[in-house]
Amino acid sequence: MRDPRYDILFTPLKIGPVTAKNRFFQVPHCNGMGHAMPLAHAAMRETKAEGGWAVVSTEECEIHPSGDLTPYVEARLWDDRDIPALALMCDKVHAHGALAALELTHNGPTASNLYSREVLLAPSHQPSKYGYPSQARAMTLHDIREYRRWHREAAIRGKRAGMDIIYVYAAHDLSLAMHFLQRRRNQRSDEYGGSLENRVRLLREVLEDTRDAVGDTCAVALRFATEELLGPGGVELAEAREIVGMLAELPDLWDVNLAAWYNDSVPSRFAGEGAQEPFIDFVKKTTTKPVVGVGRFTSPDTMVSQLKRGVLDMIGCARPSIADPFLPRKIEEGRIDDIRECIGCNICVSGDMTISPIRCTQNPTMGEEWRKGWHPERIAPKRSPSRVLVVGAGPAGLEAARALGQRGYEVSLAEARKELGGRVTREARLPGLAEWARVRDWRVGQIHKLANIAVYLDSALSAQDVLDFGAEHVVLATGCHWRRDGYGRSHGFAIPGFANNPRVFTPDDLMDGRLPEGRVVVFDDDGFYYGSVAAELLRLRGCEVIHLTPDDGIAPWSLHTLDYRHIRKRMAELGIEAMVSQDIIGYDGTTLAVEDVWTHRRRELGCDAVVAVTARVPDDALYQELLRREAEWSAAGVRSLRCIGDAEAPGLIAHAVYAGHRYARELEEPASGEVAFKRHFHTAHADDLRREPQAREPS
Ligand code: ADP
Ligand code: SF4
């Protein structure tokens, strides 16, 4: 039963000519599947619609080959042949009573055109944003008219696909309609440059064009960034207020946020729920049209507060809808405890950034809806009355136990420590990572609801214990530990002086409360979050900290999770020194021998301690012993043994959750063949090719 306090979230809202059935709006988000994997994309969006979102949007949708985003895989409406893929999404979304929204864009100098090989377009001559060694050319008035035509035609294609809401995109520093607003990108002296009125002209025209083209049946939404946090070169709040005032009633819906993406989807380490409010709360006071905004909202109380205080009319979510596609349904059904809250780790973003299908730490089914037929809420019932023993209650073991319990198996979960959660519990105590504990909390909450799962704390199991237990299936999720010897990406062998040196610490030491003092070098050969978190922890405890890495940049992989800039800023604010392209070749407890990776020039650095963030070793001794004793399994009734998660191969928390989920899904199920998922085959194109007469070069 729904709590009446949340009724307001379920009141319909008229958006231009269409009506949203409630206030939950899945705003556009990238997913790495886009036009290349339309079946997977449509199935993922369908899951959101089924989960109760009133509006389900696409990601960015390219309108023309001159705004090609290759290698990133987004939506595409270059011509009519792109309509069916999006029509499929619309059908799936409509089947659940939701509205489909389409985010049209032409990214001008923030496109790549690597595939189309067109020349990039921009308000004025300028370098391409992402470092491609080419420039964008200034658009002529003819180009501007063409751009407006492309946008209009794409809107009509979107309508034909079945879209209910068509976006004009002026956010994230990613679309021409925004680039014309920015003084740093628009240095024109004609009617499209100079004064604010002139810089807004194109955005106004495109809004009007879109309304003329499709406004009879489709709502026109404007996605607009109110602040870029770049000072006068960027869109600033004061100017944004004027722009909203100038265009107030033109769109049917305002979708407002911060630019660029790293200021919008800020990791939880750097911003909490609802952090955008001070930048967007003026919009509703300026327009009578509905306003949607984001803030990694997972709490229904916060959502209600946003509506009641007049900040927003609709609750916009990307990440919370990824972590829990059924978030609205769960609120509607009064199942608040069942909400799988986003942890703000941005592993979802890394899918798009690495040009691979979306994944999520909290929701292992994200991106697998079509490929593997995984549903976030449903799972096949057990195949037999077997008992399953899960050893280790980190993210892998917790998820395996939970999902096996959901299937109906009789599950025993044994954990050596006095607390559940494994690495998640330990990492969540580090600075900024508290929300990561949600990985544990949601699973423990679900496990406690299932009578068929027994949990044993303080139970370090030996191989004999496992064999004596009498479970038919045993899964070991016993985790891993960080290496102390310096072995890692840069070192194929241990670093002299590291092993057995009490002045060398590992992340496990820090998480167990064994902290160094004085001048500490954090040696980061891992390249993601851990090095900077360790540095931050020690700096906050009063150490003088140097973050040293053989890489050319600090935490390079954090670019994929939008952490990078925030990490650099925080390190600078805390006075943590960064030393890049430096390797450690020895340590005697007081002096570090450091070598420049390019010149091999050596120098010495005095330091009281080193924290080695290099690589991890699986804690698989139990697995290895059980393998050695395979002859005893059958007498003990053990039919299968598996090792999963960090105990198999250390990785992200997302990998461990996925491994646990996959184990539970596949237990006693028939194998699905060599390739464990469905693939998109572009056989239609191959057939076309075979039919085409082969043109030959004259010989
Ligand atoms: P993962 O990320 O793969 O889930 P974690 O390191 O987070 O791995 O969790 C592994 C958990 O397994 C830890 O909480 C650890 O205490 C527990 N564990 C390790 N060995 C045993 C064992 N022999 N018996 C029971 N629990 C164990
Ligand atoms: Fe949230 Fe992380 Fe999942 Fe993204 S990957 S939706 S940030 S939990």
Side-chain angles (χ1 to χ4, degrees), residues 356-659:
S356 39
I358 190 167
R359 62 223 43 219
C360 167
T361 300
Q362 273 286 54
N363 175 11
T365 68
M366 177 50 49
E368 300 290 11
E369 300 84 356
W370 177 80
R371 252 179 32 145
K372 290 193 167 177
W374 289 2
H375 189 278
E377 301 300 311
R378 292 191 291 273
I379 194 163
K382 64 181 178 183
R383 290 254 172 189
S384 79
S386 303
R387 289 176 61 200
V388 189
L389 172 63
V390 182
V391 184
L398 284 175
E399 176 61 14
R402 184 206 66 75
L404 289 164
Q406 191 186 359
R407 290 190 65 186
Y409 284 102
E410 195 185 321
V411 182
S412 302
L413 173 62
E415 164 55 46
R417 292 180 181 247
K418 292 188 169 64
E419 59 186 8
L420 298 171
R423 65 179 286 190
V424 165
T425 296
R426 300 170 80 221
E427 290 186 30
R429 294 194 189 109
L430 296 168
L433 304 186
E435 282 194 32
W436 291 18
R438 292 171 170 183
V439 171
R440 171 201 63 205
D441 294 343
W442 181 75
R443 291 177 172 80
V444 171
Q446 298 296 301
I447 285 171
H448 285 328
K449 290 184 180 187
L450 290 166
N452 51 329
I453 307 179
V455 178
Y456 303 96
L457 282 175
D458 208 3
S459 305
L461 300 193
S462 65
Q464 192 59 47
D465 293 333
V466 171
L467 293 172
D468 290 344
F469 200 86
E472 283 90 342
H473 301 288
V474 178
V475 56
L476 306 178
T478 46
C480 65
H481 64 273
W482 287 88
R483 297 181 74 117
R484 199 177 290 279
D485 61 1
Y487 175 90
R489 285 201 174 88
S490 304
H491 291 274
F493 302 96
I495 299 178
F498 266 37
N500 304 320
N501 184 338
R503 299 283 188 96
V504 174
F505 293 75
T506 71
D508 292 308
D509 292 325
L510 307 189
M511 291 188 287
D512 290 338
R514 285 190 298 279
L515 299 177
E517 290 180 349
R519 189 169 199 237
V520 183
V521 168
V522 173
F523 178 54
D524 187 358
D525 200 13
D526 169 67
F528 192 23
Y529 62 93
Y530 214 102
S532 70
V533 172
E536 189 176 336
L537 170 76
L538 297 176
R539 186 74 193 103
L540 294 172
R541 298 292 179 103
C543 296
E544 183 189 337
V545 181
I546 299 170
H547 187 143
L548 183 146
T549 176
D551 228 299
D552 287 337
I554 295 289
W557 215 81
S558 71
L559 277 165
H560 298 314
T561 54
L562 309 175
D563 280 281
Y564 178 75
R565 287 162 191 267
H566 302 288
I567 288 175
R568 294 305 302 245
K569 198 165 154 229
R570 178 153 302 169
M571 282 177 58
E573 282 163 2
L574 289 173
I576 296 167
E577 189 185 339
M579 289 178 66
V580 298
S581 313
Q582 303 295 314
D583 203 354
I584 295 177
I585 52 170
Y587 182 51
D588 64 8
T590 53
T591 308
L592 207 57
V594 174
E595 185 178 272
D596 185 283
V597 300
W598 300 116
T599 63
H600 300 295
R601 234 175 262 133
R602 294 185 177 184
R603 62 170 158 155
E604 293 189 336
L605 200 65
C607 73
D608 301 304
V610 174
V611 179
V613 186
T614 63
R616 290 174 283 169
V617 187
D619 288 332
D620 63 353
L622 181 58
Y623 180 55
Q624 298 302 342
E625 189 179 347
L626 284 164
L627 286 181
R628 278 193 295 274
R629 295 175 64 175
E630 191 171 350
E632 298 170 51
W633 293 5
S634 106
V638 174
R639 283 170 37 210
S640 79
L641 172 75
R642 283 283 310 280
C643 178
I644 62 167
D646 288 330
E648 183 185 24
L652 298 173
I653 296 168
H655 293 121
V657 172
Y658 187 83

